[in-house]
Amino acid sequence: MSQLETGFTNVQALDPSIIVDLRYATTDNFTHQVIYNFTTAIARTGTAKKLAKANSLLRAQGYRLKIWDAYRPVAAQSRLYDVYPDPSFVAKPNPNFSHQKGVTVDVTLCDAAGKEVDMQTEFDDFTVAAHRDFDRTPLQEKNYQILNQAMQAAGFFGYENEWWDYRDAQMDDYPPATADPNDYQITEHA
Ligand SMILES: C[C@@H](N)C(=O)N[C@H](C)C(=O)O
């Protein structure tokens, strides 16, 4: 097993062309509440590097990644679970799982200009239409395959019930850890 890089990294510090639009930092999410107080996407360093690799594979094809969610504190998971307590779509609060230890990202595909492409559902559509084995139009299938192949090549696997949820293939090797994403903001130099 390769050495894990278990610190946290701002994904845009590795690749500023990754688009970050953290929906739980706004009311534009399934809860209609602001769930957390940060707009910076962080992940465990090993996971963040894989994300940068996926974005570089996508950029070579004229696309970019958009991140809807990355590291998510357990308190935020609890708020999500309180609103929608269905573990097939919202995991139970657990500091040793997925977003809550910074090894999972919710992503979609954008064109080079940053416009989202057509995917099978909107973000957090908690229906069977979000399942990876659900029928897609030919265009949605093409877009899904472009995203999925890049994420898999970079070292992620997709969660079967949510087309947007990608987990580091080494997720179970990471111990729990917490961080404040506000400590990882990129500062502008004069
Ligand atoms: C809530 C949704 N975006 C999500 O992340 N679901 C998975 C199952 C999770 O809560 O980890």
Side-chain angles (χ1 to χ4, degrees), residues 18-54:
I18 296 174
I19 300 162
V20 172
D21 176 18
L22 299 187
R23 297 279 287 272
Y24 304 130
T26 75
T27 55
D28 184 17
N29 65 67
F30 73 92
T31 71
H32 308 293
Q33 303 167 31
V34 174
I35 294 294
Y36 47 55
N37 71 344
F38 55 84
T39 56
T40 303
I42 66 168
R44 303 300 275 273
T45 299
T47 305
K49 287 185 175 179
K50 290 178 181 179
L51 201 61
K53 168 75 176 169

PDB file of all heavy atoms in Angstrom, residues 18-54:
ATOM      1  N   ILE A  18     -10.299  23.906 -10.945  1.00  0.00           N
ATOM      2  CA  ILE A  18     -11.440  23.149 -10.380  1.00  0.00           C
ATOM      3  C   ILE A  18     -12.453  24.173  -9.858  1.00  0.00           C
ATOM      4  O   ILE A  18     -12.098  25.088  -9.114  1.00  0.00           O
ATOM      5  CB  ILE A  18     -10.975  22.212  -9.249  1.00  0.00           C
ATOM      6  CG1 ILE A  18     -10.018  21.153  -9.793  1.00  0.00           C
ATOM      7  CG2 ILE A  18     -12.170  21.562  -8.568  1.00  0.00           C
ATOM      8  CD1 ILE A  18      -9.384  20.268  -8.712  1.00  0.00           C
ATOM      9  N   ILE A  19     -13.700  24.004 -10.260  1.00  0.00           N
ATOM     10  CA  ILE A  19     -14.756  24.941  -9.836  1.00  0.00           C
ATOM     11  C   ILE A  19     -15.324  24.465  -8.500  1.00  0.00           C
ATOM     12  O   ILE A  19     -15.622  23.282  -8.336  1.00  0.00           O
ATOM     13  CB  ILE A  19     -15.876  24.991 -10.899  1.00  0.00           C
ATOM     14  CG1 ILE A  19     -15.307  25.448 -12.244  1.00  0.00           C
ATOM     15  CG2 ILE A  19     -17.015  25.897 -10.440  1.00  0.00           C
ATOM     16  CD1 ILE A  19     -16.204  25.129 -13.428  1.00  0.00           C
ATOM     17  N   VAL A  20     -15.473  25.388  -7.569  1.00  0.00           N
ATOM     18  CA  VAL A  20     -16.012  25.044  -6.253  1.00  0.00           C
ATOM     19  C   VAL A  20     -17.299  25.825  -6.015  1.00  0.00           C
ATOM     20  O   VAL A  20     -17.322  27.054  -6.098  1.00  0.00           O
ATOM     21  CB  VAL A  20     -14.976  25.341  -5.141  1.00  0.00           C
ATOM     22  CG1 VAL A  20     -15.602  25.162  -3.762  1.00  0.00           C
ATOM     23  CG2 VAL A  20     -13.768  24.414  -5.293  1.00  0.00           C
ATOM     24  N   ASP A  21     -18.355  25.096  -5.756  1.00  0.00           N
ATOM     25  CA  ASP A  21     -19.677  25.688  -5.506  1.00  0.00           C
ATOM     26  C   ASP A  21     -20.333  24.850  -4.406  1.00  0.00           C
ATOM     27  O   ASP A  21     -21.129  23.956  -4.684  1.00  0.00           O
ATOM     28  CB  ASP A  21     -20.496  25.649  -6.810  1.00  0.00           C
ATOM     29  CG  ASP A  21     -21.914  26.151  -6.622  1.00  0.00           C
ATOM     30  OD1 ASP A  21     -22.187  26.836  -5.619  1.00  0.00           O
ATOM     31  OD2 ASP A  21     -22.765  25.838  -7.489  1.00  0.00           O
ATOM     32  N   LEU A  22     -19.928  25.108  -3.176  1.00  0.00           N
ATOM     33  CA  LEU A  22     -20.379  24.273  -2.063  1.00  0.00           C
ATOM     34  C   LEU A  22     -21.830  24.603  -1.733  1.00  0.00           C
ATOM     35  O   LEU A  22     -22.143  25.631  -1.139  1.00  0.00           O
ATOM     36  CB  LEU A  22     -19.474  24.473  -0.837  1.00  0.00           C
ATOM     37  CG  LEU A  22     -17.995  24.109  -1.031  1.00  0.00           C
ATOM     38  CD1 LEU A  22     -17.255  24.185   0.303  1.00  0.00           C
ATOM     39  CD2 LEU A  22     -17.830  22.735  -1.656  1.00  0.00           C
ATOM     40  N   ARG A  23     -22.703  23.713  -2.113  1.00  0.00           N
ATOM     41  CA  ARG A  23     -24.146  23.985  -2.016  1.00  0.00           C
ATOM     42  C   ARG A  23     -24.630  24.018  -0.572  1.00  0.00           C
ATOM     43  O   ARG A  23     -25.612  24.708  -0.268  1.00  0.00           O
ATOM     44  CB  ARG A  23     -24.902  22.933  -2.813  1.00  0.00           C
ATOM     45  CG  ARG A  23     -24.559  22.973  -4.301  1.00  0.00           C
ATOM     46  CD  ARG A  23     -25.308  24.048  -5.036  1.00  0.00           C
ATOM     47  NE  ARG A  23     -26.676  23.657  -5.177  1.00  0.00           N
ATOM     48  CZ  ARG A  23     -27.161  22.920  -6.192  1.00  0.00           C
ATOM     49  NH1 ARG A  23     -26.370  22.538  -7.158  1.00  0.00           N
ATOM     50  NH2 ARG A  23     -28.417  22.582  -6.237  1.00  0.00           N
ATOM     51  N   TYR A  24     -23.947  23.298   0.332  1.00  0.00           N
ATOM     52  CA  TYR A  24     -24.405  23.332   1.732  1.00  0.00           C
ATOM     53  C   TYR A  24     -23.923  24.590   2.460  1.00  0.00           C
ATOM     54  O   TYR A  24     -24.281  24.802   3.619  1.00  0.00           O
ATOM     55  CB  TYR A  24     -23.944  22.075   2.484  1.00  0.00           C
ATOM     56  CG  TYR A  24     -24.382  20.787   1.820  1.00  0.00           C
ATOM     57  CD1 TYR A  24     -23.480  19.765   1.577  1.00  0.00           C
ATOM     58  CD2 TYR A  24     -25.700  20.597   1.420  1.00  0.00           C
ATOM     59  CE1 TYR A  24     -23.867  18.588   0.960  1.00  0.00           C
ATOM     60  CE2 TYR A  24     -26.099  19.429   0.786  1.00  0.00           C
ATOM     61  CZ  TYR A  24     -25.175  18.431   0.558  1.00  0.00           C
ATOM     62  OH  TYR A  24     -25.572  17.264  -0.055  1.00  0.00           O
ATOM     63  N   ALA A  25     -23.146  25.420   1.752  1.00  0.00           N
ATOM     64  CA  ALA A  25     -22.801  26.737   2.306  1.00  0.00           C
ATOM     65  C   ALA A  25     -23.871  27.767   1.954  1.00  0.00           C
ATOM     66  O   ALA A  25     -23.765  28.936   2.339  1.00  0.00           O
ATOM     67  CB  ALA A  25     -21.448  27.193   1.767  1.00  0.00           C
ATOM     68  N   THR A  26     -24.881  27.340   1.211  1.00  0.00           N
ATOM     69  CA  THR A  26     -25.964  28.208   0.756  1.00  0.00           C
ATOM     70  C   THR A  26     -27.302  27.551   1.121  1.00  0.00           C
ATOM     71  O   THR A  26     -27.329  26.428   1.636  1.00  0.00           O
ATOM     72  CB  THR A  26     -25.911  28.376  -0.777  1.00  0.00           C
ATOM     73  OG1 THR A  26     -26.401  27.165  -1.397  1.00  0.00           O
ATOM     74  CG2 THR A  26     -24.497  28.655  -1.271  1.00  0.00           C
ATOM     75  N   THR A  27     -28.386  28.240   0.788  1.00  0.00           N
ATOM     76  CA  THR A  27     -29.702  27.614   0.994  1.00  0.00           C
ATOM     77  C   THR A  27     -30.132  26.815  -0.238  1.00  0.00           C
ATOM     78  O   THR A  27     -31.203  26.206  -0.234  1.00  0.00           O
ATOM     79  CB  THR A  27     -30.770  28.680   1.299  1.00  0.00           C
ATOM     80  OG1 THR A  27     -30.766  29.653   0.240  1.00  0.00           O
ATOM     81  CG2 THR A  27     -30.501  29.360   2.628  1.00  0.00           C
ATOM     82  N   ASP A  28     -29.291  26.791  -1.277  1.00  0.00           N
ATOM     83  CA  ASP A  28     -29.616  26.068  -2.509  1.00  0.00           C
ATOM     84  C   ASP A  28     -29.215  24.593  -2.374  1.00  0.00           C
ATOM     85  O   ASP A  28     -28.282  24.118  -3.024  1.00  0.00           O
ATOM     86  CB  ASP A  28     -28.895  26.732  -3.691  1.00  0.00           C
ATOM     87  CG  ASP A  28     -29.254  26.094  -5.013  1.00  0.00           C
ATOM     88  OD1 ASP A  28     -30.289  25.377  -5.075  1.00  0.00           O
ATOM     89  OD2 ASP A  28     -28.509  26.304  -5.992  1.00  0.00           O
ATOM     90  N   ASN A  29     -29.896  23.924  -1.476  1.00  0.00           N
ATOM     91  CA  ASN A  29     -29.665  22.484  -1.270  1.00  0.00           C
ATOM     92  C   ASN A  29     -30.964  21.881  -0.743  1.00  0.00           C
ATOM     93  O   ASN A  29     -31.914  22.602  -0.446  1.00  0.00           O
ATOM     94  CB  ASN A  29     -28.486  22.249  -0.324  1.00  0.00           C
ATOM     95  CG  ASN A  29     -28.744  22.759   1.076  1.00  0.00           C
ATOM     96  OD1 ASN A  29     -29.595  22.229   1.786  1.00  0.00           O
ATOM     97  ND2 ASN A  29     -28.041  23.821   1.484  1.00  0.00           N
ATOM     98  N   PHE A  30     -31.004  20.581  -0.612  1.00  0.00           N
ATOM     99  CA  PHE A  30     -32.273  19.910  -0.294  1.00  0.00           C
ATOM    100  C   PHE A  30     -32.855  20.291   1.060  1.00  0.00           C
ATOM    101  O   PHE A  30     -34.040  20.130   1.305  1.00  0.00           O
ATOM    102  CB  PHE A  30     -32.125  18.386  -0.417  1.00  0.00           C
ATOM    103  CG  PHE A  30     -31.342  17.737   0.684  1.00  0.00           C
ATOM    104  CD1 PHE A  30     -31.969  17.232   1.822  1.00  0.00           C
ATOM    105  CD2 PHE A  30     -29.958  17.619   0.575  1.00  0.00           C
ATOM    106  CE1 PHE A  30     -31.228  16.632   2.839  1.00  0.00           C
ATOM    107  CE2 PHE A  30     -29.223  17.013   1.576  1.00  0.00           C
ATOM    108  CZ  PHE A  30     -29.854  16.531   2.716  1.00  0.00           C
ATOM    109  N   THR A  31     -32.039  20.824   1.948  1.00  0.00           N
ATOM    110  CA  THR A  31     -32.538  21.236   3.267  1.00  0.00           C
ATOM    111  C   THR A  31     -33.100  22.653   3.260  1.00  0.00           C
ATOM    112  O   THR A  31     -33.801  23.040   4.196  1.00  0.00           O
ATOM    113  CB  THR A  31     -31.431  21.191   4.330  1.00  0.00           C
ATOM    114  OG1 THR A  31     -30.494  22.247   4.093  1.00  0.00           O
ATOM    115  CG2 THR A  31     -30.707  19.852   4.349  1.00  0.00           C
ATOM    116  N   HIS A  32     -32.729  23.432   2.244  1.00  0.00           N
ATOM    117  CA  HIS A  32     -33.083  24.867   2.166  1.00  0.00           C
ATOM    118  C   HIS A  32     -32.525  25.657   3.357  1.00  0.00           C
ATOM    119  O   HIS A  32     -33.044  26.696   3.724  1.00  0.00           O
ATOM    120  CB  HIS A  32     -34.605  25.062   2.042  1.00  0.00           C
ATOM    121  CG  HIS A  32     -35.204  24.249   0.935  1.00  0.00           C
ATOM    122  ND1 HIS A  32     -34.935  24.494  -0.398  1.00  0.00           N
ATOM    123  CD2 HIS A  32     -36.016  23.170   0.967  1.00  0.00           C
ATOM    124  CE1 HIS A  32     -35.566  23.602  -1.140  1.00  0.00           C
ATOM    125  NE2 HIS A  32     -36.230  22.774  -0.347  1.00  0.00           N
ATOM    126  N   GLN A  33     -31.475  25.112   3.966  1.00  0.00           N
ATOM    127  CA  GLN A  33     -30.802  25.797   5.081  1.00  0.00           C
ATOM    128  C   GLN A  33     -29.315  25.901   4.763  1.00  0.00           C
ATOM    129  O   GLN A  33     -28.774  25.040   4.059  1.00  0.00           O
ATOM    130  CB  GLN A  33     -30.913  24.966   6.377  1.00  0.00           C
ATOM    131  CG  GLN A  33     -32.302  24.631   6.837  1.00  0.00           C
ATOM    132  CD  GLN A  33     -32.254  23.546   7.935  1.00  0.00           C
ATOM    133  OE1 GLN A  33     -31.300  23.461   8.709  1.00  0.00           O
ATOM    134  NE2 GLN A  33     -33.279  22.716   7.984  1.00  0.00           N
ATOM    135  N   VAL A  34     -28.667  26.928   5.341  1.00  0.00           N
ATOM    136  CA  VAL A  34     -27.206  26.972   5.298  1.00  0.00           C
ATOM    137  C   VAL A  34     -26.702  25.958   6.328  1.00  0.00           C
ATOM    138  O   VAL A  34     -26.995  26.068   7.519  1.00  0.00           O
ATOM    139  CB  VAL A  34     -26.673  28.386   5.604  1.00  0.00           C
ATOM    140  CG1 VAL A  34     -25.155  28.369   5.706  1.00  0.00           C
ATOM    141  CG2 VAL A  34     -27.133  29.377   4.541  1.00  0.00           C
ATOM    142  N   ILE A  35     -25.954  24.964   5.851  1.00  0.00           N
ATOM    143  CA  ILE A  35     -25.541  23.854   6.713  1.00  0.00           C
ATOM    144  C   ILE A  35     -24.187  24.106   7.356  1.00  0.00           C
ATOM    145  O   ILE A  35     -23.926  23.656   8.474  1.00  0.00           O
ATOM    146  CB  ILE A  35     -25.519  22.545   5.897  1.00  0.00           C
ATOM    147  CG1 ILE A  35     -26.933  22.185   5.457  1.00  0.00           C
ATOM    148  CG2 ILE A  35     -24.859  21.391   6.654  1.00  0.00           C
ATOM    149  CD1 ILE A  35     -27.879  21.838   6.593  1.00  0.00           C
ATOM    150  N   TYR A  36     -23.287  24.816   6.650  1.00  0.00           N
ATOM    151  CA  TYR A  36     -21.983  25.103   7.255  1.00  0.00           C
ATOM    152  C   TYR A  36     -21.484  26.486   6.848  1.00  0.00           C
ATOM    153  O   TYR A  36     -22.022  27.110   5.928  1.00  0.00           O
ATOM    154  CB  TYR A  36     -20.957  24.002   6.995  1.00  0.00           C
ATOM    155  CG  TYR A  36     -20.805  23.466   5.581  1.00  0.00           C
ATOM    156  CD1 TYR A  36     -20.543  24.295   4.493  1.00  0.00           C
ATOM    157  CD2 TYR A  36     -20.872  22.093   5.347  1.00  0.00           C
ATOM    158  CE1 TYR A  36     -20.358  23.776   3.215  1.00  0.00           C
ATOM    159  CE2 TYR A  36     -20.690  21.561   4.072  1.00  0.00           C
ATOM    160  CZ  TYR A  36     -20.437  22.415   3.014  1.00  0.00           C
ATOM    161  OH  TYR A  36     -20.254  21.911   1.756  1.00  0.00           O
ATOM    162  N   ASN A  37     -20.435  26.940   7.557  1.00  0.00           N
ATOM    163  CA  ASN A  37     -20.020  28.346   7.459  1.00  0.00           C
ATOM    164  C   ASN A  37     -18.718  28.512   6.673  1.00  0.00           C
ATOM    165  O   ASN A  37     -17.917  29.378   6.993  1.00  0.00           O
ATOM    166  CB  ASN A  37     -19.845  28.938   8.869  1.00  0.00           C
ATOM    167  CG  ASN A  37     -18.617  28.357   9.572  1.00  0.00           C
ATOM    168  OD1 ASN A  37     -18.100  27.326   9.136  1.00  0.00           O
ATOM    169  ND2 ASN A  37     -18.147  29.004  10.620  1.00  0.00           N
ATOM    170  N   PHE A  38     -18.492  27.654   5.670  1.00  0.00           N
ATOM    171  CA  PHE A  38     -17.274  27.791   4.873  1.00  0.00           C
ATOM    172  C   PHE A  38     -17.596  27.563   3.403  1.00  0.00           C
ATOM    173  O   PHE A  38     -18.591  26.918   3.062  1.00  0.00           O
ATOM    174  CB  PHE A  38     -16.196  26.804   5.345  1.00  0.00           C
ATOM    175  CG  PHE A  38     -16.627  25.353   5.367  1.00  0.00           C
ATOM    176  CD1 PHE A  38     -16.570  24.578   4.219  1.00  0.00           C
ATOM    177  CD2 PHE A  38     -17.113  24.768   6.537  1.00  0.00           C
ATOM    178  CE1 PHE A  38     -16.970  23.247   4.232  1.00  0.00           C
ATOM    179  CE2 PHE A  38     -17.518  23.430   6.557  1.00  0.00           C
ATOM    180  CZ  PHE A  38     -17.445  22.678   5.401  1.00  0.00           C
ATOM    181  N   THR A  39     -16.739  28.121   2.539  1.00  0.00           N
ATOM    182  CA  THR A  39     -16.913  27.985   1.088  1.00  0.00           C
ATOM    183  C   THR A  39     -15.666  27.409   0.433  1.00  0.00           C
ATOM    184  O   THR A  39     -15.509  27.464  -0.784  1.00  0.00           O
ATOM    185  CB  THR A  39     -17.239  29.358   0.457  1.00  0.00           C
ATOM    186  OG1 THR A  39     -16.204  30.268   0.811  1.00  0.00           O
ATOM    187  CG2 THR A  39     -18.577  29.884   0.927  1.00  0.00           C
ATOM    188  N   THR A  40     -14.780  26.874   1.252  1.00  0.00           N
ATOM    189  CA  THR A  40     -13.516  26.304   0.777  1.00  0.00           C
ATOM    190  C   THR A  40     -13.633  24.779   0.746  1.00  0.00           C
ATOM    191  O   THR A  40     -14.013  24.163   1.750  1.00  0.00           O
ATOM    192  CB  THR A  40     -12.374  26.712   1.735  1.00  0.00           C
ATOM    193  OG1 THR A  40     -12.343  28.132   1.810  1.00  0.00           O
ATOM    194  CG2 THR A  40     -11.029  26.191   1.243  1.00  0.00           C
ATOM    195  N   ALA A  41     -13.282  24.180  -0.397  1.00  0.00           N
ATOM    196  CA  ALA A  41     -13.346  22.716  -0.526  1.00  0.00           C
ATOM    197  C   ALA A  41     -12.002  22.125  -0.128  1.00  0.00           C
ATOM    198  O   ALA A  41     -10.983  22.362  -0.790  1.00  0.00           O
ATOM    199  CB  ALA A  41     -13.679  22.322  -1.958  1.00  0.00           C
ATOM    200  N   ILE A  42     -12.018  21.355   0.947  1.00  0.00           N
ATOM    201  CA  ILE A  42     -10.797  20.658   1.359  1.00  0.00           C
ATOM    202  C   ILE A  42     -11.062  19.155   1.364  1.00  0.00           C
ATOM    203  O   ILE A  42     -12.203  18.696   1.466  1.00  0.00           O
ATOM    204  CB  ILE A  42     -10.278  21.113   2.739  1.00  0.00           C
ATOM    205  CG1 ILE A  42     -11.245  20.729   3.860  1.00  0.00           C
ATOM    206  CG2 ILE A  42      -9.999  22.602   2.741  1.00  0.00           C
ATOM    207  CD1 ILE A  42     -10.658  20.901   5.264  1.00  0.00           C
ATOM    208  N   ALA A  43      -9.971  18.415   1.240  1.00  0.00           N
ATOM    209  CA  ALA A  43     -10.024  16.951   1.319  1.00  0.00           C
ATOM    210  C   ALA A  43      -8.697  16.489   1.892  1.00  0.00           C
ATOM    211  O   ALA A  43      -7.728  17.271   1.967  1.00  0.00           O
ATOM    212  CB  ALA A  43     -10.262  16.342  -0.057  1.00  0.00           C
ATOM    213  N   ARG A  44      -8.638  15.219   2.281  1.00  0.00           N
ATOM    214  CA  ARG A  44      -7.355  14.668   2.697  1.00  0.00           C
ATOM    215  C   ARG A  44      -6.380  14.838   1.533  1.00  0.00           C
ATOM    216  O   ARG A  44      -6.767  14.718   0.364  1.00  0.00           O
ATOM    217  CB  ARG A  44      -7.506  13.203   3.102  1.00  0.00           C
ATOM    218  CG  ARG A  44      -8.538  13.006   4.203  1.00  0.00           C
ATOM    219  CD  ARG A  44      -8.201  13.754   5.496  1.00  0.00           C
ATOM    220  NE  ARG A  44      -7.321  12.993   6.348  1.00  0.00           N
ATOM    221  CZ  ARG A  44      -7.720  12.090   7.244  1.00  0.00           C
ATOM    222  NH1 ARG A  44      -9.017  11.854   7.430  1.00  0.00           N
ATOM    223  NH2 ARG A  44      -6.840  11.443   7.992  1.00  0.00           N
ATOM    224  N   THR A  45      -5.132  15.099   1.824  1.00  0.00           N
ATOM    225  CA  THR A  45      -4.184  15.476   0.764  1.00  0.00           C
ATOM    226  C   THR A  45      -4.109  14.427  -0.340  1.00  0.00           C
ATOM    227  O   THR A  45      -4.083  14.754  -1.536  1.00  0.00           O
ATOM    228  CB  THR A  45      -2.818  15.771   1.379  1.00  0.00           C
ATOM    229  OG1 THR A  45      -2.988  16.858   2.289  1.00  0.00           O
ATOM    230  CG2 THR A  45      -1.782  16.128   0.322  1.00  0.00           C
ATOM    231  N   GLY A  46      -4.084  13.143   0.037  1.00  0.00           N
ATOM    232  CA  GLY A  46      -4.044  12.093  -0.978  1.00  0.00           C
ATOM    233  C   GLY A  46      -5.277  12.125  -1.877  1.00  0.00           C
ATOM    234  O   GLY A  46      -5.186  11.938  -3.099  1.00  0.00           O
ATOM    235  N   THR A  47      -6.417  12.384  -1.285  1.00  0.00           N
ATOM    236  CA  THR A  47      -7.669  12.471  -2.048  1.00  0.00           C
ATOM    237  C   THR A  47      -7.670  13.721  -2.930  1.00  0.00           C
ATOM    238  O   THR A  47      -8.080  13.666  -4.107  1.00  0.00           O
ATOM    239  CB  THR A  47      -8.862  12.502  -1.076  1.00  0.00           C
ATOM    240  OG1 THR A  47      -8.793  11.371  -0.214  1.00  0.00           O
ATOM    241  CG2 THR A  47     -10.178  12.499  -1.821  1.00  0.00           C
ATOM    242  N   ALA A  48      -7.215  14.833  -2.385  1.00  0.00           N
ATOM    243  CA  ALA A  48      -7.172  16.084  -3.162  1.00  0.00           C
ATOM    244  C   ALA A  48      -6.267  15.929  -4.383  1.00  0.00           C
ATOM    245  O   ALA A  48      -6.569  16.433  -5.477  1.00  0.00           O
ATOM    246  CB  ALA A  48      -6.692  17.231  -2.269  1.00  0.00           C
ATOM    247  N   LYS A  49      -5.154  15.219  -4.206  1.00  0.00           N
ATOM    248  CA  LYS A  49      -4.253  14.996  -5.359  1.00  0.00           C
ATOM    249  C   LYS A  49      -4.925  14.150  -6.422  1.00  0.00           C
ATOM    250  O   LYS A  49      -4.749  14.383  -7.633  1.00  0.00           O
ATOM    251  CB  LYS A  49      -2.946  14.349  -4.885  1.00  0.00           C
ATOM    252  CG  LYS A  49      -2.056  15.329  -4.137  1.00  0.00           C
ATOM    253  CD  LYS A  49      -0.714  14.701  -3.771  1.00  0.00           C
ATOM    254  CE  LYS A  49       0.205  15.738  -3.127  1.00  0.00           C
ATOM    255  NZ  LYS A  49       1.514  15.167  -2.727  1.00  0.00           N
ATOM    256  N   LYS A  50      -5.699  13.172  -6.003  1.00  0.00           N
ATOM    257  CA  LYS A  50      -6.436  12.367  -6.982  1.00  0.00           C
ATOM    258  C   LYS A  50      -7.460  13.229  -7.730  1.00  0.00           C
ATOM    259  O   LYS A  50      -7.683  13.056  -8.935  1.00  0.00           O
ATOM    260  CB  LYS A  50      -7.134  11.195  -6.293  1.00  0.00           C
ATOM    261  CG  LYS A  50      -6.174  10.131  -5.791  1.00  0.00           C
ATOM    262  CD  LYS A  50      -6.900   9.009  -5.063  1.00  0.00           C
ATOM    263  CE  LYS A  50      -5.888   7.983  -4.548  1.00  0.00           C
ATOM    264  NZ  LYS A  50      -6.527   6.882  -3.806  1.00  0.00           N
ATOM    265  N   LEU A  51      -8.075  14.148  -7.005  1.00  0.00           N
ATOM    266  CA  LEU A  51      -9.055  15.036  -7.647  1.00  0.00           C
ATOM    267  C   LEU A  51      -8.381  15.925  -8.693  1.00  0.00           C
ATOM    268  O   LEU A  51      -8.917  16.130  -9.796  1.00  0.00           O
ATOM    269  CB  LEU A  51      -9.722  15.883  -6.569  1.00  0.00           C
ATOM    270  CG  LEU A  51     -11.062  16.489  -6.926  1.00  0.00           C
ATOM    271  CD1 LEU A  51     -12.090  15.421  -7.237  1.00  0.00           C
ATOM    272  CD2 LEU A  51     -11.540  17.361  -5.778  1.00  0.00           C
ATOM    273  N   ALA A  52      -7.202  16.425  -8.358  1.00  0.00           N
ATOM    274  CA  ALA A  52      -6.456  17.240  -9.332  1.00  0.00           C
ATOM    275  C   ALA A  52      -6.082  16.406 -10.545  1.00  0.00           C
ATOM    276  O   ALA A  52      -6.110  16.892 -11.687  1.00  0.00           O
ATOM    277  CB  ALA A  52      -5.212  17.829  -8.668  1.00  0.00           C
ATOM    278  N   LYS A  53      -5.757  15.148 -10.323  1.00  0.00           N
ATOM    279  CA  LYS A  53      -5.454  14.247 -11.451  1.00  0.00           C
ATOM    280  C   LYS A  53      -6.691  14.070 -12.345  1.00  0.00           C
ATOM    281  O   LYS A  53      -6.601  14.143 -13.582  1.00  0.00           O
ATOM    282  CB  LYS A  53      -4.997  12.892 -10.901  1.00  0.00           C
ATOM    283  CG  LYS A  53      -4.923  11.767 -11.892  1.00  0.00           C
ATOM    284  CD  LYS A  53      -3.725  11.875 -12.791  1.00  0.00           C
ATOM    285  CE  LYS A  53      -3.609  10.688 -13.735  1.00  0.00           C
ATOM    286  NZ  LYS A  53      -2.608  10.886 -14.770  1.00  0.00           N
ATOM    287  N   ALA A  54      -7.847  13.847 -11.717  1.00  0.00           N
ATOM    288  CA  ALA A  54      -9.081  13.704 -12.497  1.00  0.00           C
ATOM    289  C   ALA A  54      -9.351  14.971 -13.305  1.00  0.00           C
ATOM    290  O   ALA A  54      -9.719  14.907 -14.490  1.00  0.00           O
ATOM    291  CB  ALA A  54     -10.261  13.411 -11.565  1.00  0.00           C
TER     292      ALA A  54
END
